[in-house]
Amino acid sequence: VQLQASGGGLVQAGDSLRLSCAASGRTFSGQTVGWFRQAPGKEREFVASIFRWNAGRTYYADSVKDRFTISRDNAKNTVYLQMNSLRPEDTAVYYCASDSSIILSSIRLSRMYEYWGQGTLVTVSS
């Protein structure tokens, strides 16, 4: 599976962005897809994921809950991350990742995802 993340950019605090993660080589329908981010000097952290089963149940980091929404369009083989009410602390490189066999208890662990996109930079100015 090859993943292509896009949609990053420079925005002001309070603005919105929608990131996209497009897959090629394999359909997303059987994959759990996650978004992670890495700010300068910090470790990569979990942002959100959509599980491959459980009717696509979604999970969020507390820091983005109620502001970010992850969704998938199986027809377009794309997963989105809608980011609203952006804050300067959301500034980071955002990565999408996928895996076909990850279990529910591991969806927040970046090391459990097999496939990764190249990352897209989100910069939020105050």
Side-chain angles (χ1 to χ4, degrees), residues 1-79:
V1 179
Q2 283 140 5
L3 306 180
Q4 178 74 37
S6 62
L10 172 63
V11 297
Q12 293 186 331
D15 285 351
S16 298
L17 274 178
R18 188 178 77 162
L19 306 183
S20 300
C21 178
S24 60
R26 182 180 291 184
T27 178
F28 257 156
S29 63
Q31 303 268 323
T32 293
V33 181
W35 285 96
F36 294 81
R37 67 186 182 186
Q38 188 166 18
K42 295 187 177 181
E43 293 187 353
R44 191 170 297 187
E45 65 174 1
F46 169 78
V47 175
S49 69
I50 184 163
F51 196 55
R52 68 187 189 279
W53 302 126
N54 291 3
R57 186 171 174 179
T58 57
Y59 301 86
Y60 299 92
D62 288 343
S63 59
V64 306
K65 199 174 295 183
D66 299 327
R67 298 189 298 124
F68 291 10
T69 303
I70 188 172
S71 62
R72 68 198 309 159
D73 185 335
N74 288 334
K76 295 183 177 180
N77 223 23
T78 301
V79 170

Side-chain angles (χ1 to χ4, degrees), residues 105-124:
S105 60
S106 298
I107 58 171
R108 290 175 170 83
L109 302 177
S110 60
R111 67 179 185 272
M112 304 303 292
Y113 288 78
E114 182 175 5
Y115 302 104
W116 287 83
Q118 85 289 0
T120 185
L121 176 62
V122 173
T123 304
V124 185

Side-chain angles (χ1 to χ4, degrees), residues 78-96:
T78 301
V79 170
Y80 303 99
L81 184 69
Q82 177 67 42
M83 306 186 295
N84 298 329
S85 302
L86 282 162
R87 304 168 181 169
E89 54 263 39
D90 295 318
T91 295
V93 177
Y94 284 72
Y95 300 89
C96 60

